[in-house]
Structures are given as C-alpha cells and as structure tokens.
Amino acid sequence: MSMLRLIDAPRCPYCARVRIALAEKGIAYETVVIDLVNRPAWVYELNPIGKVPVLEHQGWVLPESAVINEYLEDAYPEPALLPADPAQRANARLIIFRHDDFTATYYALRRKEAGADVAFAGELEALDAMLAGDPYLTGSAFGLADIAYVPWVLRARDVLGVSLESYPSLVDWLARLDGRPSIRAELEIIAAL
C-alpha cells in the first residue's frame, strides 16, 4: 500500500484519535499540519465542512476520526483495536458512538459555560464507573473505545486543569495508558500546546 497522508492539527483531539490509532498499528504516514484558526481553502476541497482529521490514501479521501479509525482497523487488522467477539465489538462501537455526550460537556467547559463543570464532572463519573473492575473501556484489551476518549481526558487534565483525583478508576486507566508509546507521544504534543 502507498503512504497514507493525514491532514492534522496538533491541538485537535479528533486528530489525536487518528494519530494514536496509527501509532498503535505501527502504520507509517505523512502529516500535513494545518492552522485551525486560518484553515487553508484546500481543506474544504477534501472535506466540505473543513474539519480535520482527513486521511488521504491512493487518491481516496476520508474525514471523521471514528470512521477513519474503523477504516484503519479494517485495512490494517493487526494489531486488533476492536474485540474479536461480535457482541464486544458492538459494545465498543456503542461506547464510541456515545462519545458525543462527553465532548459536548468538554467543549462547554472549555467555553466556560454556566454549569459545564458539573456536567463534565458527571461525564467523568460515568467514565470512571465504566472503568471500575476493567483495565480498559471494553474489558481486558486497549482499543478504539479507549482511543475515542483519552484525547479529551488528557486535555481536560493537562490543558483545562481539571482534577481527576475523585475518579480513581479513571486515574488508574490513565496510568496504564501512560505506558503506551502512542499515548506518551500525544502527551508530548499536549505539553507543547
């Protein structure tokens, strides 16, 4: 296969999802970094709504991080980032699908909207409960569900200053993830923001 090209923005957590998945799978790719404040016109040619990430491969263009990561899972099945069992795979996809509730409260918090801190705390509490008793969001193996959430959790902690000490399962999860090269690379990107 020819080299993949990722249209990327370091501060974008959606782009982080794809960077982490690519790193986990050991896939070589080229990066084209854009400025989110001053997006080049050609980005709208690749994705009419102008959002990143965008993945290009052999003249084919794919936007949307969750869809890109599903494509990577299908095109590069090893190592697997979704469980082999169909019910567990469906559960992982459901966790990813419900991610929008988490991000809505994150962005409200980032905009300093009234009540956003309480709403985001509720989302963190729910995530903490999902991790109680399991090392990862879909059980015993790291995968796409974990990748779906970790960029926002890291940014909440490291950029927005959200304390996670009230969420012990979440803190333990982050400690496990910190041992992964893909997550350490993302932490370096966040530190440079």
Side-chain angles (χ1 to χ4, degrees):
M1 291 186 161
S2 68
M3 180 75 68
L4 297 166
R5 185 166 89 142
L6 177 65
I7 312 307
D8 191 10
R11 73 180 177 115
C12 175
Y14 291 100
C15 291
R17 280 178 161 180
V18 177
R19 289 191 301 265
I20 293 168
L22 287 163
E24 285 290 329
K25 289 187 169 287
I27 301 169
Y29 65 99
E30 298 172 356
T31 302
V32 177
V33 174
I34 68 158
D35 178 356
L36 293 174
V37 175
N38 188 21
R39 296 169 206 251
W42 57 262
V43 168
Y44 292 91
E45 294 170 15
L46 298 175
N47 184 0
I49 58 176
K51 289 184 179 179
V52 291
V54 175
L55 187 72
E56 292 183 292
H57 189 214
Q58 298 177 335
W60 185 65
V61 176
L62 184 63
E64 299 299 334
S65 63
V67 178
I68 292 169
N69 282 355
E70 287 266 353
Y71 168 74
L72 294 173
E73 182 70 3
D74 291 339
Y76 304 87
E78 295 300 325
L81 294 175
L82 282 173
D85 176 74
Q88 291 176 347
R89 287 173 82 86
N91 184 54
R93 288 182 174 114
L94 181 60
I95 292 168
I96 296 165
F97 180 77
R98 290 190 172 154
H99 177 264
D100 289 348
D101 295 336
F102 189 85
T103 56
T105 59
Y106 168 88
Y107 288 113
L109 180 67
R110 199 173 84 177
R111 290 186 300 268
K112 299 180 177 158
E113 293 178 10
D117 55 339
V118 173
F120 191 65
E123 291 296 327
L124 290 173
E125 189 174 303
L127 192 59
D128 188 65
M130 288 173 59
L131 287 161
D134 283 319
Y136 302 102
L137 286 171
T138 52
S140 62
F142 176 81
L144 291 182
D146 301 288
I147 293 170
Y149 284 82
V150 72
W152 286 267
V153 175
L154 293 174
R155 282 163 175 77
R157 183 190 70 188
D158 298 349
V159 178
L160 301 182
V162 173
S163 172
L164 301 178
E165 66 183 53
S166 297
Y167 315 102
S169 297
L170 191 55
V171 169
D172 290 347
W173 175 68
L174 288 177
R176 278 188 293 284
L177 296 186
D178 190 50
R180 305 186 80 81
S182 65
I183 302 302
R184 284 196 305 274
E186 191 58 31
L187 285 166
E188 290 176 16
I189 289 170
I190 292 169
L193 295 176

